[in-house]
């Protein structure tokens, strides 16, 4: 998901391009506003953290672009491509390492690949089943052996 800072800074296209160029397949996307209730559900495991109020305020502050990407090990590969949570530690070449400086403005969210249910849970929070579009990219035979 492109967070409000990514939308305001015009970085949505850059984020989409990076994942597309890698060969991942975009099967759902939209522009929405997250309200307090959705913020609490989405960041369920963070609600008791000291930073939660700032996080809630930030994530509800402007439009976001949730997306669903598919491909070989997509969840893991997206996490690698977005980089460490803290942009100060994120490697150059990652989205956060190239486009952010501050932990509270780290441009993108992605489901945690180490939490087995996270992906499905987050897709269900943001999309109806009918909004996910199954299709084949024309280059799939050149992306996969
Ligand atoms: O987003 P990611 O899964 O990499 O990190 P997280 O540990 O699940 O934290 C979720 C989000 O909370 C981060 O992306 C930050 O926006 C925010 N956060 C924060 O503002 N301050 C912290 N000390 C930790 C997280
Ligand atoms: Mg997380």
């Amino acid at each position: 998901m492109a967070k409000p800072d990514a939308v305001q800074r015009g970085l949505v296209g850059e984020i989409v391009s990076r994942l597309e160029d890698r060969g991942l397949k975009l099967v759902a996307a939209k522009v929405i506003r997250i309200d307090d209730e959705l913020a609490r559900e989405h960041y369920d495991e963070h609600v008791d953290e000291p930073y939660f109020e700032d996080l809630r305020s930030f994530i509800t502050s402007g439009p976001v672009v949730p997306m669903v990407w598919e491909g070989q090990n997509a969840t893991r590969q997206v996490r690698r491509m977005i980089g460490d949570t803290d942009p100060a530690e994120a490697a150059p070449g990652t989205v956060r390492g190239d486009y952010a400086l501050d932990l509270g403005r780290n441009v993108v969210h992605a489901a945690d690949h180490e939490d087995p249910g996270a992906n499905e849970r987050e897709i269900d929070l943001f999309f109806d089943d009918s909004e996910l579009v199954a299709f084949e990219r024309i280059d799939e035979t050149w992306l996969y052996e």
Side-chain angles (χ1 to χ4, degrees), residues 86-98:
D86 185 351
E89 300 301 324
T94 65
V95 175
R96 287 163 170 170
D98 287 349

Side-chain angles (χ1 to χ4, degrees), residues 90-108:
T94 65
V95 175
R96 287 163 170 170
D98 287 349
Y99 294 106
L101 293 164
D102 193 292
L103 177 56
R105 297 289 184 272
N106 62 2
V107 173
V108 272

